[in-house]
Amino acid sequence: LDCAIPAAEPTLPTLQVFPLLSQLGANGVLIEYEDMFPFKGELEILRSPYAYSEEDIERIQQLAEQHKLEVVPLVQTFGHVEFILKHEKYQHLREVERFPNSFNPHVPDTLALLKSILSQVIEKHRRSTWIHIGADEVFHLGEGMDSKNWMSHNKGDVGTMYLKHIKEVLGFLTAQYWGLRVLMWDDMLRKISVGALRGEGTGTALVAHGPGSAAAPALCLDPTELPPEKPPELAEGDAGCATAGPAALAGRRAHRLAEVRGGGTPLPSQCPHSRAGTVQRWWLSPPRRYDHYSVLCELLPVSIPSLAICLQTLVNGGFTEEAKRKVLDLLGLESVQLEQSTCEGRGAFPGVEIYHMVEQVNGHLKESILKALEEESAIKGWFSPYHRKRQFGNPRNMESFGSKVLKLHDDWESFVRDLRAQLERIYFPDTVEEWMEENVNPYLDQLRDLVRDYR
């Protein structure tokens, strides 16, 4: 939840979104804080300048509790740890020296650091009965010299090495926090043999529930990618819905609904014995990234209609008329067109103003500016880059396009001021600036430059 939450009055992500999530059928919120957590002591270096305060985190949990939502903190324990390993202080913990993606599991300091991070996060989430340890996309595992030496000396492979580290993390959690249940992503597990997952040869199963287990993690799976030979313990979780891409500006509702439907995979209402339930991996924390260094994904207000559709699809076992009606009623919309990824109606959901304004940016900003710059014959013929660079032109020809370009510029500048004001109500300044740089300025700056040269 990388949003501004003023201490006195939390805004969009809590007061308004939590009740809506509850009404739509959610019963929990997975929060991956990364550098937004108020780390203390030696870990303080990990904090963003805009990190939440301890009071903010307590307020988030209080509001979640009021709306019957359990907060599940997510702490990455293997991969996706760029926010940690980017710091010089922790570079020696990298699997591959030049990449900050993944931990080296053979350095004792790695587990010691993870214990400190997990302890601080869990301490601030005493209401939570679950913790998520991430553990997905451990890029370059096995490529570091320590890993190569370990595999050579132990006659092991990357899968064995992965399980060894995960079991060490689980061992700490189960020993230190009795009753705390563990979730993890499953993508790395799909590459590991069934026997290894069941603990054959080690006596400690990672996926089994009951005596002899290192823990009882509930695995969040993409059922469309589940190989048929995986054990039933893995086949009972269910997950869906990632974003439309790392630089997505607006969600693709039909695409996401298809992911939830899972290409014919039974939905939770048809799987009464599912232990893990369903985790929608909805990157809606405003905003989210594919990783610490990637561009922003879509903004939360833009995702809300898509999120509502998928939640109700899961609750109802399909996108039924009942599900559709509830979505429209709760969001204050007149209709939704899944294939076109459009909604009709003014809407009455949190951040709806931003939703409509991003639609304007997505649908008209680039098109209108490029049309003015590239299709206006007077600009191409009498106010080309050559003319502008040398500052000469015929006023008669320039005036033929001047009023149109000035109006277009004024209209978009006014619109962008309003959009920025709306964004600043929710997001921290660095987020607003980045979003504008990525989605508005590449086009508006071209128009600004033309107007400057024209004047």
Side-chain angles (χ1 to χ4, degrees):
L1 292 170
D2 300 338
C3 305
I5 298 190
E9 186 179 354
T11 54
L12 180 76
T14 48
L15 283 178
Q16 299 174 50
V17 172
F18 281 6
L20 177 62
L21 291 177
S22 183
Q23 289 173 309
L24 287 167
N27 62 9
V29 181
L30 192 65
I31 303 182
E32 182 174 0
Y33 290 101
E34 277 206 352
D35 57 0
M36 292 300 293
F37 188 81
F39 291 108
K40 298 187 295 186
E42 290 188 358
L43 300 181
E44 192 169 348
I45 190 175
L46 303 179
R47 293 175 59 160
S48 160
Y50 299 104
Y52 288 145
S53 68
E54 294 181 17
E55 291 75 22
D56 292 333
I57 289 179
E58 176 60 24
R59 182 67 173 138
I60 288 172
Q61 293 178 89
Q62 288 176 355
L63 289 164
E65 192 172 31
Q66 288 174 21
H67 299 290
K68 297 180 173 58
L69 297 170
E70 177 167 358
V71 172
V72 180
L74 190 158
V75 177
Q76 286 287 0
T77 55
F78 215 158
H80 286 299
V81 286
E82 297 90 347
F83 81 101
I84 300 170
L85 298 184
K86 70 180 183 182
H87 295 284
E88 185 177 356
K89 178 179 180 179
Y90 298 118
Q91 282 184 9
H92 68 291
L93 303 182
R94 296 178 178 184
E95 168 70 1
V96 175
E97 185 178 357
R98 68 183 186 276
F99 300 142
N101 302 74
S102 306
F103 277 125
N104 177 344
H106 311 289
V107 180
D109 287 353
T110 293
L111 188 60
L113 175 62
L114 284 173
K115 288 178 179 179
S116 296
I117 292 173
L118 286 163
S119 296
Q120 288 200 19
V121 173
I122 292 170
E123 182 61 35
K124 296 302 175 188
H125 293 83
R126 286 299 188 177
R127 296 176 179 81
S128 300
T129 61
W130 294 89
I131 187 166
H132 200 305
I133 61 169
D136 59 318
E137 297 183 332
V138 188
F139 299 132
H140 308 292
L141 182 60
E143 296 178 18
M145 284 307 302
D146 287 345
S147 289
K148 289 178 180 178
N149 290 335
W150 186 91
M151 288 188 288
S152 175
H153 293 149
N154 294 275
K155 297 181 180 180
D157 56 17
V158 171
T160 308
M161 193 163 51
Y162 174 84
L163 289 178
K164 178 178 178 293
H165 176 72
I166 294 302
K167 288 175 181 177
E168 287 175 345
V169 172
L170 294 174
F172 164 72
L173 290 171
T174 53
Q176 197 73 19
Y177 302 99
W178 174 253
L180 186 65
R181 292 176 289 178
V182 181
L183 286 157
M184 62 186 291
W185 300 128
D186 81 302
D187 61 300
M188 297 296 291
L189 297 173
R190 286 180 236 156
K191 306 170 187 176
I192 300 171
S193 71
V194 173
L197 291 172
R198 285 180 167 154
E200 294 172 8
T202 66
T204 305
L206 180 66
V207 299
H209 290 65
S213 300
L219 306 178
C220 305
L221 309 177
D222 179 347
T224 63
E225 298 179 17
L226 186 65
E229 71 274 10
K230 285 298 181 190
E233 292 93 336
L234 292 183
E236 293 178 353
D238 197 25
C241 300
T243 52
L249 190 60
R252 297 180 293 174
R253 293 176 193 89
H255 169 72
R256 287 178 161 172
L257 184 57
E259 285 185 322
V260 171
R261 287 173 173 159
T265 300
L267 292 167
S269 60
Q270 301 164 282
C271 300
H273 302 296
S274 173
R275 290 193 184 103
T278 300
V279 174
Q280 283 208 56
R281 197 173 184 178
W282 210 272
W283 294 354
L284 54 73
S285 53
R288 187 65 169 94
R289 306 172 190 273
Y290 269 57
D291 68 42
H292 191 71
Y293 284 97
S294 75
V295 296
L296 298 171
C297 294
E298 61 202 325
L299 300 174
L300 171 57
V302 180
S303 303
I304 284 178
S306 186
L307 172 60
I309 289 167
C310 286
L311 278 171
Q312 275 297 295
T313 296
L314 290 164
V315 168
N316 289 278
F319 193 52
T320 61
E321 283 301 313
E322 180 184 353
K324 184 176 181 179
R325 176 49 48 199
K326 185 155 188 178
V327 167
L328 295 177
D329 289 346
L330 286 175
L331 300 187
L333 297 170
E334 295 174 7
S335 67
V336 293
Q337 306 298 326
L338 293 181
E339 297 305 325
Q340 291 76 32
S341 289
T342 58
C343 297
E344 295 178 2
R346 292 194 57 82
F349 54 88
V352 69
E353 300 88 357
I354 292 175
Y355 173 87
H356 288 304
M357 295 177 99
V358 170
E359 280 194 324
Q360 287 294 311
V361 170
N362 193 31
H364 302 294
L365 176 67
K366 177 180 177 181
E367 179 186 358
S368 67
I369 290 176
L370 294 184
K371 183 176 181 180
L373 298 184
E374 296 175 4
E375 296 183 15
E376 179 62 57
S377 60
I379 293 177
K380 293 177 73 72
W382 283 272
F383 202 52
S384 70
Y386 181 87
H387 294 88
R388 293 166 60 185
K389 184 176 180 179
R390 288 159 181 78
Q391 298 186 11
F392 78 97
N394 188 327
R396 175 181 177 275
N397 302 100
M398 291 172 64
E399 286 174 4
S400 68
F401 67 81
S403 60
K404 185 193 304 185
V405 166
L406 289 174
K407 183 178 188 310
L408 181 67
H409 172 259
D410 289 345
D411 288 348
W412 275 118
E413 290 287 13
S414 175
F415 174 87
V416 167
R417 280 194 298 272
D418 292 342
L419 172 59
R420 182 180 284 274
Q422 290 289 342
L423 292 173
E424 287 174 346
R425 291 177 53 235
I426 301 170
Y427 299 105
F428 291 115
D430 61 336
T431 299
V432 176
E433 203 57 44
E434 182 177 352
W435 195 89
M436 300 296 278
E437 287 282 353
E438 290 284 348
N439 299 293
V440 173
N441 294 351
Y443 312 108
L444 190 53
D445 280 351
Q446 296 180 54
L447 184 59
R448 288 165 173 160
D449 291 344
L450 181 81
V451 168
R452 179 200 64 210
D453 292 346
Y454 172 85
R455 284 173 172 159

